[in-house]
Amino acid sequence: MPYEDALAQMEARAAAVAAGDAGEQVWLLEHPPLYTAGTSASVADLVDPDRFPVFKAGRGGQYTYHGPGQRVAYLMLDLRTRGRDVRCFVSGVEQLVIETLAEFGVSGERRDGRIGVWVVKPDGSEAKIAAIGIRIRRWVSFHGLSINVSPDLSHFSGIVPCGITDYGVTSLAELGVTASLADVDAALAQNFEALFGPAVVAS
């Protein structure tokens, strides 16, 4: 789905949820190759500005990449009914990724001072496998998370992902896990319900 279309529809849906005119939704989708800039993005971290389109995302964080083979999940949830606790909500989103990765035998971990979910690779190095960028307006969340299933990891070289230079990025495929986006979706749905409550598939 084109990023600008997703952003416009997501913002409209979040506003409708806040106004009480629509229910919560979670979207699972893919984007064409692109870079997004969060509100803390530094121009110096855009290494190759002409490689892919660059969009201002309006979420927290710095630069990130989206593209084929990466599952993006946008979460439009009403935190007024979920305790109005932003820290707890973000921790829950991290846990959603960690539990989903565990379904494929991958141990996802948090790191102090580093946003996202991290893994220790077989050579002992650490790499980021999932990014998290949340915005909350009128106590409704939007934007969300991305999990690297089988993207072209060379595409990340056009930015400094999330402003972190000392560590790389990885994917389920690079870790030797053969999983489709549909496999990851099923795991996300199961773990979402365990952490956030019942959900139904929209038609």
Side-chain angles (χ1 to χ4, degrees):
M1 183 177 190
Y3 184 78
E4 56 268 51
D5 293 347
L7 186 62
Q9 293 183 40
M10 175 172 53
E11 290 193 346
R13 183 72 186 203
V17 173
D21 296 330
E24 299 176 312
Q25 279 194 338
V26 175
W27 298 346
L28 302 175
L29 47 80
E30 265 181 305
H31 290 306
L34 58 92
Y35 298 129
T36 66
T39 54
S40 302
S42 168
V43 174
D45 289 340
L46 185 58
V47 178
D48 189 353
D50 299 321
R51 187 170 189 182
F52 298 126
V54 180
F55 297 93
K56 291 184 178 179
R59 53 157 175 79
Q62 302 183 50
Y63 282 103
T64 192
Y65 165 78
H66 293 314
Q70 183 190 70
R71 173 52 77 225
V72 175
Y74 291 134
L75 312 171
M76 290 146 281
L77 302 181
D78 190 345
L79 303 192
R80 293 169 298 188
T81 65
R82 297 177 178 275
R84 295 178 185 253
D85 188 329
V86 175
R87 187 181 299 272
C88 181
F89 175 65
V90 173
S91 178
V93 174
E94 291 173 337
Q95 194 63 33
L96 171 61
V97 174
I98 289 169
E99 297 292 339
T100 296
L101 294 174
E103 301 281 342
F104 303 97
V106 173
S107 179
E109 302 174 357
R110 297 177 175 90
R111 289 291 183 268
D112 289 340
R114 286 190 255 148
I115 300 298
V117 177
W118 299 77
V119 298
V120 178
K121 297 172 69 175
D123 64 3
S125 64
E126 295 184 14
K128 190 172 189 175
I129 195 168
I132 294 172
I134 301 289
R135 184 166 183 183
I136 295 170
R137 181 187 294 154
R138 296 173 62 191
W139 288 107
V140 175
S141 69
F142 54 116
H143 296 280
L145 63 93
S146 61
I147 299 175
N148 296 332
V149 181
S150 57
D152 185 338
L153 294 178
S154 72
H155 289 180
F156 284 87
S157 64
I159 56 171
V160 178
C162 301
I164 298 172
T165 58
D166 296 334
Y167 304 92
V169 293
T170 191
S171 66
L172 288 175
E174 188 185 52
L175 296 174
V177 176
T178 302
S180 67
L181 291 177
D183 294 333
V184 173
D185 289 349
L188 277 168
Q190 176 180 322
N191 288 293
F192 180 89
E193 291 206 350
L195 290 163
F196 292 98
V200 296
V201 178
S203 57

